[in-house]
Amino acid sequence: MHTRTLLCRASLIAAATAGLYAMPAFAQETAGQTAADEDDGAIIVTARRREETLTNVPIAITAISGEELANRGAIDITAIAEQAPNVTLEASRGTNSTLSAFIRGVGQQDPVSGFEQGVGIYLDDVYLNRPQAAVLDIYDVERIEVLRGPQGTLYGRNTIGGAVKYVTKRLGDVAHLSLRGTYGSYNQADGVITASTPIGDGTVRIGGSLARLTRNGFGTNLTTNDENYNKNIWAGRGTIELHAADFFARVSGDYSRDTSNARGGHRLMIGAQSGAPILPNVFDTRGGLTSPKQDVEAWGATLFMEGHPTDSLTVRSITSYRKDDSSSPIDFDALPATDVDVPAFYKNTQLSQEVQVLYDSGPVHGLAGFYYLDATALTQFDVRLFTTLNGLTAYTNADVRTETMAGFANFTFDLNDQFSVELGGRYTWDQRKARILRQNYLGGGSTTFGGTGAPFGGPSTNFRGTNAFKKFTPKASLAWKPNSDNTLYASYSQGFKGGGFDPRGVGTNAPDVNGNGTREDSEIAAYLSFRPEKVNSYEVGYKTRLFDRKLSLNLAAFHADYTDVQIPGSVACTVAGLPSFCGVVSNAGKARMRGVEAEARLRTGGLTLQGSLGYIDAKFRQYITNIASKPTDVAAYRKIQNTPAWTGNVSADYGVDLGEGSLNFGAGLSWKSKTYQFETPSDYLDQPAYALVDASLVYHAPDKRWSIGVFGKNLTDKRYKTSGYIFIAGNAVTGVPVLTPGGQPIPTLGKEGVLTAYYGNPRQVYLTATLNF
């Protein structure tokens, strides 16, 4: 019902906005002009929704071209975190496809409905509302941009930490066919076919890409004998473009299907009851949950239209519909017995519409616009504690609908040839509707997952609620550009992430605030609710190109005040006298982030040297939690998760002529200091400082008709943790684990204990060949 409604709305909106283009128009910017800028040493970006050189944009931004990504052998969008300072991008625990993203200490790693992302992910200017299927594989890409710091004015809610933009290529005016094949370690076998052609005089162009991406597992599930950490993906994109003299339009669609096995975690503790040992191979696992089968299917369609009715005015419309469905068997304790086993479904839809009016004349440049989003997110899961009590299951059904509207404007005013001021603002109305059901079952799992359990007692949560949030997020910057190669700027920006309802919350545990002996709806709503969070960010930066533009250097320093910080989490708890699994979401209080970032690139002859360095001092200034029913500030004992104090990389690329072609050699080193997986430090799960070494050797034939390259990733075969689960006893204030007399952790959920880690990819070496026709 809701899907049909969304599609009808999309059709109506697209038809209505098409009327904006009845007047004469011109396409965006000629490819020749852009190519000339790039040949001049400039990198073209669209961080402010208009094409500008990287040096001229008063924003901390990393831009990586598709050609550079190909030369480095980048596999998916997480690879850019190795180059961008103060950025963490990782596949989330049990899947290849769900993304955890953090920029400058702000992000979100909980994929359950009701929790919003802190970093916006954009596919061709379409915001991806949920993290499922957001680990985008790299093919047919023009460039990827990473915008650091709040982007609330131009990109809206949930870009409180920053934004990542995946920009695909536009179709050329000549027929083109490209074949790419890869074979490597762990039987990696990838194939990508890309083709496009103009029709007639080139006004209409069609194109598409088809990708098949496979790899054996890095390890084995010793219980099921399935491969662990394997990859099995089909993906494709199709595009129809209209390149008229007075109009540009693009209809595009994308599809992906990931049927890789669920990634099983590596236990970091001996089984508390069985004595199951810690496995020597971190990529091996023993989880016994096999149903439902891991399956992530996502698709989307977008209509982009652009007109230029006058030399100074551009009108754009972006209409998009997206849908994804995931099923996942998550075995928290990674052991064969049915204990802390979590089968899960994630079902998401979104309809979005954006209209932009851009103005560029004389000293005034900018845009105004309107944005609308209607999205649903359904999460269903069991928490099966069969070894605890006669097949006990805690079932959750969380259905959350988001409706958002925003008006925005952002303009730059050139005060003279050197000084400019930028002013912008966005007003957002954000509504959340939630239906949350929690029900205990005995004797088996819930019927949603084919279980035979019987409902036991009444629902512990049976909640329906609505909340709306309104927020104005301003932005201002002052830039001094003494010439086209230097920009010095200072800026202020604000970010906003919506509030909501805890989808794992237990309504029967809500306090009786008024003491009347009953839990009223208002008390349950208050107990399950969390407020929006906000960041005020201050930044100064300097961008320059020196030595005849052979050296580019970008510097930034920032300070951010982070308030009403949302801390979603889960703990072992008791519900109606039974052991269970409960959400504990709070607006913990305040945090402060401050740091510096540097990015440099030097080109001389055939040698390119580049690197980046990021430092962030991220601290909680207040972290309120309830200990023995008493609010307690534990900020001194908590850390900002997924935010290493130091990040950096250095790389060298050298190209020489070889015959009629060229040979390029590249090598790079990236590193991160200690990373905390959660706010409460854990010597078991937290990852100490580590470095990764990569290298490549690529030969390009004349006119780049074909190429062949050898790539090596993580050449030292470093083992490093990226995420995990932890349910062990600890001091409520300090978080220090409470151990048995034998020095072992004490389980708080499940009989064997949950202390499970997931790891980044081991050493991989692969060969890639391309053919272009």
Side-chain angles (χ1 to χ4, degrees):
M1 174 71 75
H2 187 63
T3 299
R4 290 196 297 270
T5 302
L6 289 179
L7 290 173
C8 289
R9 290 184 183 178
S11 300
L12 291 171
I13 293 172
T17 53
L20 294 170
Y21 305 106
M23 56 191 72
F26 300 94
Q28 184 176 4
E29 179 172 328
T30 66
Q33 181 181 345
T34 301
D37 286 336
E38 291 174 341
D39 290 341
D40 198 33
I43 298 174
I44 305 301
V45 297
T46 55
R48 294 197 289 182
R49 299 295 183 99
R50 61 182 189 266
E51 291 195 344
E52 302 174 278
T53 65
L54 179 63
T55 302
N56 286 335
V57 180
I59 298 172
I61 176 174
T62 299
I64 308 171
S65 69
E67 182 178 5
E68 182 177 350
L69 290 166
N71 285 335
R72 290 176 177 271
I75 295 174
D76 60 48
I77 198 171
T78 63
I80 62 176
E82 297 175 9
Q83 292 182 247
N86 291 324
V87 174
T88 298
L89 300 173
E90 301 285 0
S92 178
R93 293 182 281 230
T95 77
N96 292 317
S97 303
T98 299
L99 183 68
S100 293
F102 288 77
I103 296 179
R104 291 183 177 177
V106 181
Q108 172 63 265
Q109 69 162 316
D110 197 323
V112 177
S113 60
F115 300 132
E116 304 288 324
Q117 302 175 80
V119 173
I121 309 298
Y122 290 81
L123 176 59
D124 285 332
D125 275 336
V126 174
Y127 171 66
L128 306 184
N129 189 58
R130 302 300 303 157
Q132 286 81 21
V135 178
L136 303 173
D137 290 289
I138 291 176
Y139 65 97
D140 197 31
V141 61
E142 178 71 26
R143 68 183 179 278
I144 295 177
E145 301 176 14
V146 182
L147 286 60
R148 299 187 296 278
Q151 306 298 322
T153 299
L154 287 176
Y155 293 91
R157 56 190 276 283
N158 304 343
T159 57
I160 190 168
V164 179
K165 299 181 60 177
Y166 185 107
V167 183
T168 61
K169 294 178 180 178
R170 286 193 177 185
L171 303 181
D173 57 1
V174 295
H176 175 74
L177 172 65
S178 175
L179 307 176
R180 189 185 85 193
T182 297
Y183 185 79
S185 305
Y186 302 96
N187 201 30
Q188 177 184 349
D190 298 340
V192 180
I193 302 174
T194 300
S196 65
T197 185
I199 297 178
D201 62 359
T203 300
V204 177
R205 306 171 191 178
I206 61 173
S209 295
L210 178 66
R212 179 71 171 124
L213 312 171
T214 64
R215 188 194 65 234
N216 291 347
F218 301 141
T220 303
N221 186 316
L222 304 180
T223 299
T224 65
N225 208 35
D226 290 333
E227 296 180 37
N228 199 28
Y229 287 81
N230 73 324
K231 190 171 186 177
N232 187 22
I233 294 175
W234 282 97
R237 296 193 186 105
T239 303
I240 302 175
E241 293 181 355
L242 177 65
H243 293 253
D246 58 354
F247 186 69
F248 174 80
R250 184 188 205 192
V251 178
S252 59
D254 63 272
Y255 174 84
S256 66
R257 179 82 179 273
D258 181 356
T259 56
S260 313
N261 296 332
R263 296 200 304 177
H266 173 69
R267 284 183 64 86
L268 301 177
M269 65 179 286
I270 296 171
Q273 277 198 341
S274 66
I278 298 173
L279 297 175
N281 183 356
V282 301
F283 296 110
D284 285 345
T285 190
R286 287 170 294 200
L289 182 63
T290 59
S291 179
K293 286 289 187 183
Q294 179 96 332
D295 193 344
V296 181
E297 185 176 30
W299 63 272
T302 300
L303 170 63
F304 176 91
M305 297 185 290
E306 181 177 81
H308 197 165
T310 71
D311 290 342
S312 59
L313 198 64
T314 300
V315 181
R316 290 181 189 149
S317 171
I318 307 169
T319 307
S320 181
Y321 178 80
R322 300 196 64 82
K323 187 176 189 297
D324 64 84
D325 295 296
S326 304
S327 58
S328 184
I330 309 169
D331 198 314
F332 273 51
D333 71 351
L335 286 173
T338 305
D339 201 24
V340 204
D341 285 2
V342 182
F345 292 144
Y346 304 92
K347 301 176 183 180
N348 307 307
T349 66
Q350 69 174 81
L351 168 74
S352 63
Q353 171 65 48
E354 185 165 3
V355 177
Q356 303 170 6
V357 179
L358 292 81
Y359 181 80
D360 188 353
S361 179
V364 181
H365 327 272
L367 80 163
F370 172 80
Y371 178 78
Y372 174 78
L373 172 73
D374 189 354
T376 64
L378 173 65
T379 299
Q380 299 167 303
F381 61 90
D382 281 357
V383 178
R384 295 176 177 173
L385 304 170
F386 286 10
T387 64
T388 302
L389 178 63
N390 191 28
L392 174 64
T393 292
Y395 169 69
T396 296
N397 185 104
D399 190 358
V400 179
R401 180 177 178 182
T402 297
E403 191 169 13
T404 291
M405 291 183 285
F408 58 92
N410 193 85
F411 283 88
T412 302
F413 304 91
D414 296 332
L415 305 179
N416 54 39
D417 291 341
Q418 296 186 348
F419 287 92
S420 64
V421 61
E422 178 184 15
L423 298 173
R426 188 183 192 102
Y427 183 81
T428 301
W429 175 82
D430 191 33
Q431 184 185 75
R432 206 84 66 246
K433 293 182 178 179
R435 294 185 297 171
I436 301 171
L437 173 68
R438 283 196 50 142
Q439 175 68 58
N440 284 335
Y441 287 80
L442 285 180
S446 69
T447 55
T448 298
F449 296 96
T452 58
F456 179 77
S460 56
T461 303
N462 190 4
F463 171 78
R464 291 183 179 225
T466 301
N467 209 343
F469 312 96
K470 301 175 183 178
K471 184 64 180 174
F472 176 74
T473 49
K475 178 179 181 179
S477 70
L478 177 65
W480 176 44
K481 302 175 184 177
N483 53 51
S484 61
D485 289 334
N486 290 273
T487 298
L488 181 68
Y489 68 90
S491 68
Y492 163 78
S493 59
Q494 189 176 98
F496 153 74
K497 186 168 83 170
F501 303 98
D502 182 359
R504 290 184 291 244
V506 177
T508 56
N509 287 355
D512 181 12
V513 177
N514 60 17
N516 67 355
T518 62
R519 290 181 178 87
E520 299 176 356
D521 290 345
S522 60
E523 292 170 331
I524 295 173
Y527 180 68
L528 299 179
S529 298
F530 53 91
R531 301 184 301 277
E533 60 183 27
K534 182 179 72 174
V535 166
N536 288 304
S537 179
Y538 310 85
E539 180 173 312
V540 294
Y542 177 54
K543 300 184 177 185
T544 184
R545 289 183 288 176
L546 303 168
F547 308 119
D548 197 26
R549 298 186 172 180
K550 291 183 174 63
L551 173 65
S552 63
L553 179 65
N554 300 328
L555 305 173
F558 62 91
H559 175 100
D561 292 316
Y562 192 10
T563 56
D564 281 327
V565 183
Q566 297 170 7
I567 308 292
S570 302
V571 297
C573 63
T574 300
V575 179
L578 298 174
S580 193
F581 174 88
C582 298
V584 284
V585 179
S586 64
N587 293 96
K590 304 174 183 177
R592 183 263 296 142
M593 289 82 166
R594 60 189 179 196
V596 293
E597 296 162 347
E599 296 177 281
R601 176 180 299 207
L602 174 65
R603 293 177 175 175
T604 174
L607 179 65
T608 299
L609 301 174
Q610 61 182 334
S612 70
L613 181 66
Y615 170 75
I616 183 169
D617 177 18
K619 292 182 178 179
F620 282 107
R621 300 178 65 185
Q622 183 184 69
Y623 191 117
I624 304 298
T625 187
N626 283 320
I627 298 177
S629 301
K630 179 182 178 182
T632 305
D633 189 351
V634 297
Y637 303 98
R638 298 296 184 265
K639 302 293 184 180
I640 304 295
Q641 65 161 284
N642 283 286
T643 304
W646 291 94
T647 55
N649 79 88
V650 292
S651 67
D653 295 273
Y654 186 67
V656 296
D657 293 334
L658 184 64
E660 295 183 354
S662 63
L663 184 67
N664 292 83
F665 172 76
L669 171 73
S670 63
W671 69 90
K672 294 180 183 292
S673 61
K674 184 173 184 176
T675 303
Y676 298 94
Q677 306 295 352
F678 296 101
E679 286 74 19
T680 302
S682 168
D683 289 340
Y684 297 102
L685 272 186
D686 297 335
Q687 173 59 44
Y690 69 97
L692 301 177
V693 178
D694 301 334
S696 62
L697 183 67
V698 183
Y699 176 77
H700 292 279
D703 299 324
K704 297 188 176 181
R705 285 290 184 180
W706 60 271
S707 68
I708 187 167
V710 179
F711 304 90
K713 298 292 183 182
N714 188 11
L715 289 175
T716 62
D717 206 21
K718 177 66 179 178
R719 299 292 187 263
Y720 59 100
K721 306 181 194 80
T722 60
S723 55
Y725 296 110
I726 181 169
F727 291 93
I728 61 174
N731 182 281
V733 175
T734 66
V736 174
V738 178
L739 305 178
T740 67
Q744 295 299 311
I746 299 173
T748 58
L749 185 66
K751 294 296 186 180
E752 298 280 14
V754 175
L755 186 53
T756 311
Y758 296 84
Y759 288 78
N761 291 8
R763 177 172 52 234
Q764 294 174 267
V765 178
Y766 46 93
L767 183 146
T768 295
T770 62
L771 284 173
N772 296 300
F773 302 95

